[in-house]
Amino acid sequence: MIPAIAQTLANILVVGTSLTRLDQISLSVPDTVSELKTGLNLYFYDVRQSSIRRSSSYGRSPVSNSSATDAQTQSLVSTDRNPPDLCSGLLWFDVAFVVTAHNQTSLGMQELLSEALAALMKHSPIPEEFLEPTLQGDESLSLSLQSPSDIAGFWSALRQPLRPAIFVIVTAPFKPD
């Protein structure tokens, strides 16, 4: 599931940016020194069971009981077009990636990151034509942009300095065999 999601994101990024080839996207740990002259880095860093999909399957609110929050939650739950079917054993996971850009200039890096952001924002749910074959025909995958709560800690854990990045969460179904 995870490699198929990474490939799906790479497909979206190549079509939606000035990149011309998939080999301009690296899947390794992002670093400040890259063998890519111009390109993107798409690094998988976390996977967790989706709390929104899990909560909506039981008809419960994934957040607190305040009236304003309940209205927001109802909106989230009601727009959840494909809640998991508990009888089928389908589980939903949030798969997290960080996207960074490489270019000879800072302005070029910012432009490429801006293109990547625009491309990703256009595709939630992710259209079928971008999905890898193993993901096609299943429930729709959703894409959201969400930073870790401690960005400095994230970069510190990777032993990298703070840098501009896009944090992407793909919520995808997984049916254990």
Side-chain angles (χ1 to χ4, degrees), residues 7 105 142 149 170:
Q7 186 64 46
T105 67
S142 65
S149 58
V170 176

Side-chain angles (χ1 to χ4, degrees), residues 23-173:
D23 66 356
Q24 291 177 288
I25 298 177
S26 169
L27 301 177
S28 61
V29 175
D31 59 18
T32 54
V33 180
S34 173
E35 60 220 31
L36 297 172
K37 290 187 177 188
T38 297
L40 293 170
N41 187 280
L42 176 64
Y43 180 66
F44 161 71
Y45 70 89
D46 190 36
V47 62
R48 297 171 192 244
Q49 190 169 359
S50 177
S51 61
I52 291 177
R53 291 285 190 164
R54 183 177 59 237
S55 296
S56 67
S57 69
Y58 292 106
R60 289 196 316 248
S61 167
V63 287
S64 73
N65 291 328
S66 75
S67 59
T69 306
D70 282 345
Q72 293 169 337
T73 300
Q74 283 297 10
S75 173
L76 281 173
V77 172
S78 65
T79 60
D80 189 7
R81 297 177 307 199
N82 299 308
D85 179 358
L86 296 177
C87 297
S88 71
L90 190 65
L91 299 173
W92 289 84
F93 287 88
D94 292 333
V95 185
F97 293 85
V98 61
V99 179
T100 57
H102 296 281
N103 196 288
Q104 293 88 354
T105 67
S106 293
L107 188 57
M109 182 187 71
Q110 291 170 13
E111 181 62 36
L112 189 53
L113 208 53
S114 181
E115 291 172 4
L117 179 61
L120 292 168
M121 289 179 65
K122 289 179 191 174
H123 296 98
S124 186
I126 299 173
E128 183 96 6
E129 66 264 17
F130 288 107
L131 296 176
E132 282 297 294
T134 59
L135 298 173
Q136 290 178 352
D138 285 335
E139 309 295 325
S140 62
L141 277 69
S142 65
L143 184 147
S144 62
L145 305 177
Q146 182 178 344
S147 300
S149 58
D150 179 11
I151 292 178
F154 173 84
W155 289 110
S156 179
L158 293 178
R159 298 181 185 184
Q160 296 295 318
L162 278 169
R163 63 183 298 182
I166 303 168
F167 293 89
V168 181
I169 305 289
V170 176
T171 304

